[in-house]
Amino acid sequence: MEKSRKKFTDLIDKAIATANTMDRDELLFSYKGILYPVTFCSTEVFRAMESFEARSDDVILAGYPKSGTNWVGQILNDLIAIFQMKTQNKESNVNDELEEFPYLEIGDIDKYKRMENLPSPRFMCTHLLPENLPRSIFKNKAKILLLVRNPKDVATSFYHFCNAMSPLPSYETWDDFFIAFMTKKMPWGSYFEYLSEWNKYAADENVMTITYEELKENPVLGVENIAAFFGISLTDEELQSVAERSSFKSMKKNSQKTHGAFGNVLFRKGGVNDWKNLFSEDQNEKMDKTFEEHVGGTKLGTKLKYEVYCKA
Ligand code: A3P
């Protein structure tokens, strides 16, 4: 059911080629106090995004980088294709081109105008903090699936990603990366601030939270819950097939087609607990304390099951 991802791979290939000619300290810029990669984002596009008019039936995935957004994006695109087949009698055509780069904040200034012509339900993904999203998303009550992952695996995944992707600053050592991660030097900002800001929305009826770990533990139940939240009914067979098609193994196998060369970087380990290979005792303590300060005892903090997934 996947659409041609030429637009997706072209944009990433171009960003990589441009970044290869740049110095490390030119790779990020700051907008409203948060760093972003210059090869993917720009002030002009952020400004143009303010005019984006959300619809109540938009399907929005919010997740900090490395939380599994490509994974859940695959699930949501499959669910939308099933929904369209059933309600609009529209056969999903594998030769259809993906209409827009799926991350809302990445593209060109005309993207939001073009998106007005896309049929519902539209899918989009974002790494942004809620306060930096277009206001119409909240005003028009678009549904948001909020994906969170335990912070130690997010940091681990981000470290490997930064060192494999030229558009992001690389790090000589894990210790250097850890300091940057803990001191708000990451593209798209601090993960702890991300969690505490999104926690303010976690109880809203238009927001459903899912963790990477629960989806990994029981993908069929996860897909079932996601489909129910977006009002998409599935047969048992469809449910099984969406879960199967989104497994790490199938997505990695298919990644040349869906993500091009970038797939080799993105589909790394796809598991839980890889942080244990990197964190020192001191780093564990620091992160435990920061997590507690930002989201300890909150709805989102509790949902993350920090004691289960982040304690040595
Ligand atoms: P690792 O680096 O720990 O392997 P994002 O898509 O937000 O950039 O997140 C990338 C992380 O999600 C990577 O984690 C990647 O391997 C993991 N991932 C991608 N597809 C997955 C899948 N189908 N199942 C589980 N994890 C997946």
Side-chain angles (χ1 to χ4, degrees):
M1 271 175 234
E2 68 275 349
K3 298 184 171 181
S4 154
R5 309 254 301 184
K6 196 171 174 321
K7 257 188 200 150
F8 184 91
T9 46
D10 281 357
L11 193 146
I12 294 178
D13 289 350
K14 195 168 154 237
I16 291 174
T18 309
N20 284 341
T21 68
M22 295 169 68
D23 288 339
R24 187 183 186 278
D25 59 6
E26 296 171 328
L27 294 173
L28 303 180
F29 76 106
S30 172
Y31 182 71
K32 294 191 177 169
I34 294 194
L35 296 170
Y36 300 97
V38 293
T39 47
F40 285 110
C41 298
S42 73
T43 303
E44 294 71 36
V45 175
F46 278 129
R47 294 215 178 103
M49 190 180 66
E50 286 165 24
S51 70
F52 170 74
E53 193 57 25
R55 299 179 192 155
S56 58
D57 57 5
D58 281 339
V59 171
I60 301 178
L61 171 65
Y64 187 78
K66 314 323 294 168
S67 301
T69 50
N70 282 273
W71 175 19
V72 179
Q74 152 81 27
I75 293 173
L76 290 171
N77 275 303
D78 254 15
L79 291 177
I80 289 173
I82 290 171
F83 177 81
Q84 285 178 329
M85 254 176 340
K86 286 182 175 169
T87 57
Q88 299 160 13
N89 243 344
K90 183 175 173 245
E91 267 306 321
S92 179
N93 183 350
V94 285
N95 295 317
D96 277 359
E97 173 60 73
L98 185 76
E99 292 88 351
E100 293 292 342
F101 194 76
Y103 291 80
L104 188 61
E105 62 270 27
I106 299 177
D108 57 89
I109 51 169
D110 298 322
K111 167 177 184 170
Y112 309 101
K113 246 247 89 45
R114 289 193 303 272
M115 286 181 79
E116 288 172 15
N117 299 321
L118 296 181
S120 288
R122 300 177 300 186
F123 167 71
M124 65 208 78
C125 188
T126 180
H127 295 319
L128 295 177
L129 287 173
E131 73 235 36
N132 293 333
L133 283 172
R135 287 301 86 198
S136 66
I137 289 182
F138 299 99
K139 194 177 90 222
N140 299 345
K141 297 200 181 330
K143 283 192 176 161
I144 302 173
L145 179 64
L146 174 62
L147 170 68
V148 289
R149 185 180 190 186
N150 82 70
K152 292 187 180 174
D153 278 336
V154 166
T156 304
S157 179
F158 217 164
Y159 167 60
H160 291 292
F161 195 66
C162 286
N163 281 356
M165 273 292 276
S166 63
L168 306 178
S170 57
Y171 291 86
E172 266 182 33
T173 65
W174 157 250
D175 292 350
D176 291 346
F177 174 87
F178 182 80
I179 293 168
F181 189 83
M182 299 302 283
T183 52
K184 310 178 187 177
K185 305 241 170 62
M186 288 294 103
W188 280 277
S190 146
Y191 187 40
F192 301 103
E193 280 171 15
Y194 184 91
L195 291 175
S196 69
E197 286 306 310
W198 271 106
N199 183 59
K200 296 175 187 162
Y201 296 79
D204 288 10
E205 65 171 322
N206 293 313
V207 176
M208 171 180 153
T209 308
I210 191 159
T211 67
Y212 180 101
E213 293 76 17
E214 72 176 291
L215 196 54
K216 187 85 198 166
E217 176 121 8
N218 193 339
V220 171
L221 181 63
V223 171
E224 197 175 12
N225 291 338
I226 294 171
F229 174 65
F230 287 107
I232 299 171
S233 62
L234 297 175
T235 62
D236 279 351
E237 205 183 314
E238 286 162 344
L239 177 60
Q240 293 294 339
S241 113
V242 176
E244 168 46 35
R245 287 167 45 78
S246 64
S247 72
F248 183 75
K249 208 166 140 217
S250 344
M251 285 188 73
K252 193 174 170 70
K253 193 164 146 227
N254 214 12
S255 69
Q256 191 57 40
K257 212 164 76 196
T258 56
H259 290 75
F262 172 64
N264 296 334
V265 173
L266 184 73
F267 299 99
R268 195 184 62 89
K269 286 202 169 171
V272 174
N273 273 343
D274 195 31
W275 63 268
K276 291 188 177 169
N277 294 315
L278 286 175
F279 276 67
S280 67
E281 211 168 296
D282 179 56
Q283 289 165 343
N284 273 326
E285 267 173 34
K286 286 202 170 90
M287 192 171 277
D288 296 352
K289 189 162 167 277
T290 305
F291 182 83
E292 191 56 35
E293 281 165 7
H294 282 80
V295 279
T298 65
K299 190 173 159 75
L300 218 50
T302 310
K303 174 97 185 156
L304 273 164
K305 295 195 178 155
Y306 194 88
E307 293 295 316
V308 176
Y309 294 109
C310 288
K311 287 289 166 85

